[in-house]
Amino acid sequence: GAGTAQPFCQNPGDGYSLNALDCDDNNPNINPGATDVLGNAIDENCDQVDGYAGLNIVESAEFTIQPNPSNGIVQVTVPSTFDKWELTCLDLNGKALFNQSQVTQEATINLQSLQSGIYILVVKGNGTELKKRIILQ
């Protein structure tokens, strides 16, 4: 996956790749399809950022944020199986900027105190953690 391409008539075996996308040939857990672990100083998904800035966040369709992009006032809806849930807004460095607990399935959240940018909303409830990106204008 690195260096000059070499023609082979046969598979050259371990340690070779058909493309240069893998950013660490010595670690199979670091590749473009990996989920990046926030703040561990390792770029698992090869997007050149340690954190959630890349596009490999597994986002859940189980909860909604509207509107998104937003001016900061958003409606959050969680699965009906969540009796009580907690929402945390993280910056792209993983710092918690906002936290709120809810008892109902829907809530209006005010994030207008935050600057324009991309954030991660994390919803925890009933032992489940769901994540979505939100863009504040």
Side-chain angles (χ1 to χ4, degrees), residues 33-129:
T35 300
D36 209 1
V37 177
L38 185 63
N40 67 352
I42 300 171
D43 176 20
E44 285 91 353
N45 65 0
C46 301
D47 67 354
Q48 301 177 0
V49 177
D50 175 31
Y52 291 129
L55 299 176
N56 281 341
I57 293 178
V58 177
E59 292 196 355
S60 171
E62 296 183 54
F63 88 94
T64 61
I65 305 166
Q66 293 184 348
N68 189 12
S70 170
N71 67 356
I73 303 293
V74 294
Q75 181 74 28
V76 177
T77 304
V78 300
S80 58
T81 55
F82 283 22
D83 325 340
K84 183 178 178 186
W85 51 279
E86 179 180 339
L87 179 128
T88 304
C89 180
L90 306 173
D91 67 14
L92 293 180
N93 293 316
K95 181 180 177 187
L97 305 172
F98 175 88
N99 189 280
Q100 184 170 328
S101 294
Q102 295 294 324
V103 179
T104 61
Q105 187 180 357
E106 295 181 6
T108 300
I109 307 294
N110 184 342
L111 301 173
Q112 290 181 316
S113 63
L114 302 177
Q115 294 181 1
S116 297
I118 300 172
Y119 297 89
I120 306 300
L121 293 184
V122 180
V123 172
K124 294 179 184 177
N126 293 14
T128 302
E129 182 177 285

